[in-house]
């Protein structure tokens, strides 16, 4: 049995080692000689802060109580990191580009840098992290009592039903001191804490070594290898019936969500990331770490069930197994492993939460309170330091209070899962903000608030078992005895696991409200801008913001603001470097849009995006957001880089683009075929009259004694073919002029019905010659429009002659109908022929396209008539469209023009 003094002395020595490592890391960082301290190895080990006392102690307890369920806590993060390319890479890039300081800062910045949203996220993060901090205090307190006292002496009693709250308080105080000393020594521009990260990496190795040491002891000392230890397993321990059931899937999802949304995980994965390439190492090394730390969970659980009393606490098997076998050194190593697991989590969580409180609660309040003076250099820095240190103490105090109220709970894992569901409420707003342009701040706020309240009511408050806010009668029977509103069977959904039930209702309502409110309320211009910068972070750099936001300020005023936050020296460096880049002498650059945006991002690295924007707005004037430029970038980012073979690079990211590339290639092939057809047709049309002209001219030259009648006939053929050739060339030139002409036409008021009647009269002869019945119903007589009379009749003639020439019906009929629809003059031309093929309808108005294969006499058009008509209607401010083809009808074209009035003669 180890004495309390010895355990305390070893703990102090271990803490001193952590202090030394943290001090060394900070010293190397200030000297710019980070080396190993900024390596992918240290980065990956710091991510293992995910493995808290829950995984060190509680995973074994979970295995005893729920069998294989503990695996889900490791599979979720493994999936996320193996697939880092899809989400983590984007989060890290956004964090680095936009100087993100916390998850609250990221969500707030994405949705227009709103303060209210940042405050709500901060509140949820604090309340969601409180159970987790309480869990660490409980683990350290219980483990210290077990290893240093006689709590294990009585095998017939559970281990420590009543924790030592005094000890827990002083443990919390010690954690606060360490966090304040190394987590808030200064306000770093990028909020990186190299010393703390190095200490956490060391703790990661200690807890991994400790758990493996205990596992090897159980497998090879207490048993004769893996086969023997597993042969001792109780029948139900390895039961896999619940694998992939609702609770299993829920826990896997929660674990995957937690490794992204927990404030401490966001801190180490995104904020503390110094090089995006470190993710490539973490993507395989962190899953390997999780595999190693979970490798001996089942053997330790089996060993505890086999060699310890039935009343022994499963959550302490890692510690009590070595103690029961009088292995004091191994027990001490196990205690240090659990101590490392708890302290690393608390330190990082307090740093993340204190940053959120100071940036998004204290600073906005300070800016609004008239009696808070912040006009001197570095005064904001001092306020931030004081507020962060105070916040650390308050957060740990809240964790202690939660521990005090819920200490009767036997399961460490249950407390951790409560926290997981709480922070899972960030997920809809986070994912929506990264991939959905319509996502709005109002939608995010409403969804978060709804999910948070449901989580409080269905899981968080019931965890106190009636000791806090909600009495036990409400938990069991519902408020006012309404069972429909019971917290653990909300809206009559009974028979579900409480965790699955709480996650289902909170996340479903959160997501539903987020989507509905975002669809109802459009994002504001700044939200749209931030959305474009975040969603397209790999294509749109942050300094592109200067393209859209127009504002101006005096350089001196901006320097004063920078001094207050960054301090004189750092502010001078930022301004001098930018002035040098601009080619400006001195240390004050031109205060253009680019510099103001750059300075705002620099300030955001210390105080968060929302507060940085609020402080910048105090000195800038005339801020406007160019919607034209904003919509331009949105359009640009949605377009495909047409016909580029580079789209096949990085197949995991570009599967959708590859599909679009294939479609574009098919369109190119179709256009190529159309072009070849057009050139062939034009060549044929040119060659035919030229051949006729040449042939008959040669005959006339070779036959000088030809009689006058034949000479006139041949000359007439030459004239007719020349006119045909001229019409074809005129048609091509006409389309070229329409497409290239930039000057608006001069339009005049005309009687639309008269123009249409003249066009129909012109076509009567062709209709009679082709035995086509031409029917005209004029229901819009006397309508006055603004148009070019000749050009409008050209469109009418093209549509009517096409309907006549290409009508293949045995009893051909063409119907022309004019009418007024919604204040517009409309004319439809319909035939009863075969119509236009489905594959031709989409491109009917394109150049080179022919909707009908050939006319009755076997000749087809050039494919320019409809293209010319469509161009004319655009210039007349009208429209030409091909209507859907119904059964029993042929092609149906419709033109429409805005009408001014009906003629008085009507």
């Amino acid at each position: 049995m180890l004495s309390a003094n010895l355990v305390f002395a070893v703990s102090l020595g271990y803490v001193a080692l952590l202090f030394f490592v943290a001090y060394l890391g900070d010293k190397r960082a200030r000297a710019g000689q980070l080396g190993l301290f900024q390596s992918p190895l240290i980065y990956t080990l710091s991510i293992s802060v995910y493995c808290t006392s829950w995984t060190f102690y509680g995973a074994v307890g979970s295995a005893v109580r729920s069998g294989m369920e503990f695996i889900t806590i490791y599979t979720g993060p493994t999936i996320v990191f193996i697939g880092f390319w899809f989400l983590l890479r984007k989060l890290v890039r956004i964090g680095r580009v936009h100087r993100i300081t916390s998850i609250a800062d990221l969500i707030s910045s994405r949705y227009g840098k709103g303060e209210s949203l940042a405050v709500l996220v901060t509140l949820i993060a604090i309340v969601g992290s409180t159970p987790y901090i309480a869990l660490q205090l409980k683990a350290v307190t219980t483990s210290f009592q077990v290893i240093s006292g006689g709590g294990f002496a009585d095998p017939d009693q559970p281990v420590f039903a009543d924790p030592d709250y005094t000890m827990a308080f002083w443990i919390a105080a010690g954690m606060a001191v360490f966090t304040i000393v190394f987590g808030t020594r200064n306000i770093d521009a990028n909020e990186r804490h190299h010393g703390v990260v190095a200490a956490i990496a060391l703790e990661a190795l200690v807890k991994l070594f400790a758990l493996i040491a205990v596992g090897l002891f159980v497998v090879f000392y207490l048993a004769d290898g893996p086969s023997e230890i597993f042969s001792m397993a109780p029948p139900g321990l390895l039961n896999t019936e619940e694998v992939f059931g609702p609770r299993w899937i829920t826990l896997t999802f929660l674990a995957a969500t937690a490794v992204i949304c927990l404030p401490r995980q966001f801190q180490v994965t995104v904020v503390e990331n110094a090089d995006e390439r470190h993710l490539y190492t973490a993507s395989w090394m962190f899953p390997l770490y999780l595999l190693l730390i979970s490798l001996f969970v089942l053997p330790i659980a089996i060993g505890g069930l086999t060699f310890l009393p039935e009343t022994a606490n499963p959550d302490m098997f890692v510690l009590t197994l070595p103690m029961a076998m009088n292995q004091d050194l191994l027990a001490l190593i196990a205690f240090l492993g659990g101590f490392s697991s708890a302290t690393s989590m608390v330190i990082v969580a307090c740093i993340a939460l204190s940053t959120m409180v100071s940036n998004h609660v204290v600073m906005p309040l300070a800016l609004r309170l008239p009696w808070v003076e912040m006009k001197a250099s570095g005064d904001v820095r001092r306020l931030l330091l004081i507020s962060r240190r105070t916040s650390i103490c308050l957060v740990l105090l809240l964790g202690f209070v939660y521990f005090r109220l819920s200490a009767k709970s036997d399961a460490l894992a249950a407390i951790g899962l409560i926290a997981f569901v709480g922070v899972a409420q960030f997920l809809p707003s986070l994912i929506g903000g990264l991939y959905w342009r319509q996502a709005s701040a109002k939608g995010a706020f409403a969804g978060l608030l709804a999910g948070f309240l449901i989580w409080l009511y269905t899981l968080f408050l019931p965890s106190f078992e009636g000791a806090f806010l909600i009495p036990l009668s409400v938990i069991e029977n519902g408020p006012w005895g309404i069972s429909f509103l019971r917290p653990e069977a909300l809206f009559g959904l009974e028979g579900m696991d409480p965790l699955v039930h709480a996650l289902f209702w909170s996340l479903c309502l959160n997501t539903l409200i987020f989507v509905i409110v975002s669809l109802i309320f459009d994002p504001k211009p700044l939200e749209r801008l931030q959305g474009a910068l975040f969603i397209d972070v790999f294509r749109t750099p942050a300094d592109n913001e200067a393209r859209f936001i127009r504002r101006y300020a005096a350089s001196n005023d901006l320097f004063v603001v920078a001094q207050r936050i960054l301090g004189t020296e750092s502010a001078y460096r930022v301004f001098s470097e930018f002035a040098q880049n601009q080619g400006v002498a001195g240390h004050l650059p031109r205060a253009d849009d680019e510099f103001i945006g750059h300075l705002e991002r620099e300030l955001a690295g210390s105080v968060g995006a929302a507060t940085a924007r609020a402080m910048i707005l105090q000195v800038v004037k005339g801020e406007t957001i160019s919607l034209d430029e904003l919509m331009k970038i949105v359009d640009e980012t949605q377009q495909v880089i047409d016909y580029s073979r580079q789209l096949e690079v990085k197949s995991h990211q570009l599967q959708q683009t590859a599909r679009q590339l294939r479609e574009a290639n098919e369109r190119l092939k179709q256009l190529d075929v159309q072009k070849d057809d057009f050139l062939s047709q034009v060549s044929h049309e040119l060659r035919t009259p030229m051949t006729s002209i040449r042939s008959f001219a040669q005959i006339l030259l070779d036959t000088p004694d030809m009689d006058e009648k034949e000479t006139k006939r041949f000359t007439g053929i030459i004239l007719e073919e020349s006119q045909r050739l001229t019409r074809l060339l005129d048609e091509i030139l006409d389309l070229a002029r329409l497409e290239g002409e930039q000057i608006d036409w001069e339009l005049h008021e005309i009687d639309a019905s008269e123009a249409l009647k003249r066009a129909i009269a012109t076509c009567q002869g062709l209709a009679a010659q082709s035995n086509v019945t031409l029917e005209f119903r004029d229901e819009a007589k006397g309508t006055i429009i603004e148009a070019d009379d000749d050009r409008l009749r050209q469109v009418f003639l093209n549509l009517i002659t096409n309907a006549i020439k290409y009508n293949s019906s045995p009893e051909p009929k063409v119907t022309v109908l004019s009418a007024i629809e919604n204040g517009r003059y409309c004319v439809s031309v319909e035939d009863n022929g075969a119509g236009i093929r489905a594959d031709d309808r989409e491109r009917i108005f394109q150049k080179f396209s022919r909707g009908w294969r050939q006319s009755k006499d076997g000749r087809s058009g050039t494919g320019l008539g409809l293209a010319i008509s469509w161009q004319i209607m655009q210039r007349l401010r009208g429209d030409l469209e091909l209507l859907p083809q119904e059964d029993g009808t042929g092609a149906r074209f419709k033109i429409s023009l805005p009408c001014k009035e009906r003629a008085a003669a009507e």
Side-chain angles (χ1 to χ4, degrees), residues 620-635:
V620 301
K621 300 177 181 178
E623 179 177 275
T624 58
I625 297 178
S626 171
L627 290 179
D628 291 339
E629 288 291 328
L630 179 57
M631 296 310 297
K632 188 181 297 183
I633 188 176
V634 172
D635 291 339

Side-chain angles (χ1 to χ4, degrees), residues 285-306:
M285 188 180 288
F286 182 58
L288 176 61
Y289 183 94
L290 294 178
L291 174 64
L292 293 175
I293 207 167
S294 63
L295 195 60
F296 291 101
V297 169
L298 279 176
I300 295 172
I302 296 170
L305 291 172
T306 303

Side-chain angles (χ1 to χ4, degrees), residues 396-447:
L396 279 164
L397 180 61
L398 285 175
F400 173 77
V401 171
Y402 185 96
F403 168 51
R404 182 67 180 83
L405 293 174
S406 62
K408 294 181 180 180
S409 174
D410 292 331
L412 291 177
I415 300 177
L417 289 172
I418 292 171
F420 275 22
V421 178
V423 298
Q425 304 310 314
F426 298 145
L427 193 65
S429 299
L430 183 66
I431 300 298
L434 295 182
Y435 297 100
W436 187 31
R437 298 182 190 277
Q438 183 64 26
S440 68
K442 290 182 178 179
F445 188 91

